[in-house]
Amino acid sequence: PYDDIAELYDIEHEGFDDDVALMRNIASIVGDPIIEFGCGTGRILLPIAADGHAVTGVDTSVEMLRRLQERARELDGGSVNVVQADMRTELPLPADTFGVGIFSLNGLMHLETQEEQVDALREAARVLDPRGQLVVDLFNPTPEYLTQLTSGPQLEGVWTTVEGEVEKWSHRTLRPAAQALDTRIWY
């Protein structure tokens, strides 16, 4: 679904960098090469590459990866490799290679079942160097936060573009027995 909203994703996340400094710091301590699963248009991956690191981004969205590659051409330093693939499957990458693996901004939660999440984590373990570090960034699903998220349709943000305003709305339904949070988003 991200092929259709890649531009909107960038508008929404432009300027959101709360986690970028942490990821850059981890990369500088642990070292190359670095892989990001569900890398999107490069919000995390490109600043790390700009620091001179060799990075690989994995995503299923052709359009998100196209936008990432377009931005990567403007980098001075580092190297960026992209892999259009499903993180739940064996990737066309060698085992025991990466120093850092990253699932950023709830990326692991985009997978619909625990089995799919385990498959993605298993693949991350396969491609990481045995001493490699895996970073998984997830929100803390406290009962209070889940209640807030599922309280009805919510306006998540408004952004101004040259074409006018863009609003993002969401509606979430919690399925506790399945440990799932179904989300419908519209712009």
Side-chain angles (χ1 to χ4, degrees):
Y2 282 95
D3 280 341
D4 295 332
I5 64 163
E7 181 181 1
L8 297 169
Y9 179 89
D10 281 343
I11 290 168
E12 177 182 354
H13 291 91
E14 181 181 53
F16 177 75
D17 61 358
D18 293 358
D19 50 354
V20 173
L22 173 64
M23 300 302 178
R24 290 172 91 174
N25 189 45
I26 291 169
S28 71
I29 292 169
V30 179
D32 293 343
I34 295 147
I35 185 169
E36 183 181 6
F37 302 91
C39 64
T41 61
R43 188 184 67 80
I44 295 288
L45 186 130
L46 291 173
I48 293 172
D51 291 339
H53 295 285
V55 297
T56 296
V58 176
D59 207 293
T60 58
S61 171
V62 172
E63 180 60 20
M64 297 284 259
L65 291 174
R66 186 196 66 73
R67 294 175 76 87
L68 185 154
Q69 288 175 306
E70 189 176 286
R71 291 180 174 147
R73 288 187 200 102
E74 301 169 8
L75 280 180
D76 183 24
S79 67
V80 176
N81 178 43
V82 299
V83 176
Q84 195 268 322
D86 188 328
M87 68 176 103
R88 297 169 292 188
T89 63
E90 186 169 328
L91 301 172
L93 297 167
D96 303 330
T97 302
F98 295 92
V100 179
I102 300 170
F103 288 94
S104 67
L105 200 59
N106 300 315
L108 192 62
M109 296 176 83
H110 285 86
L111 304 177
E112 294 183 18
T113 66
Q114 288 179 351
E115 181 178 292
E116 291 176 341
Q117 292 169 347
V118 168
D119 289 342
L121 291 169
R122 187 175 291 119
E123 182 56 13
R126 185 189 73 79
V127 300
L128 279 175
D129 178 290
R131 295 166 289 137
Q133 301 292 308
L134 182 62
V135 181
V136 181
D137 178 16
L138 304 171
F139 77 90
N140 184 10
T142 64
E144 295 81 16
Y145 187 54
L146 292 174
T147 298
Q148 176 190 343
L149 284 177
T150 59
S151 63
Q154 296 184 15
L155 176 63
E156 291 195 13
V158 178
W159 301 272
T160 302
T161 71
V162 294
E163 297 171 357
E165 281 191 346
V166 174
E167 294 181 353
K168 179 184 178 185
W169 289 82
S170 66
H171 185 271
R172 292 179 172 85
T173 304
L174 181 62
R175 292 185 291 126
Q179 294 185 2
L181 185 63
D182 298 327
T183 303
R184 179 176 299 265
I185 295 173
W186 61 100
Y187 292 89

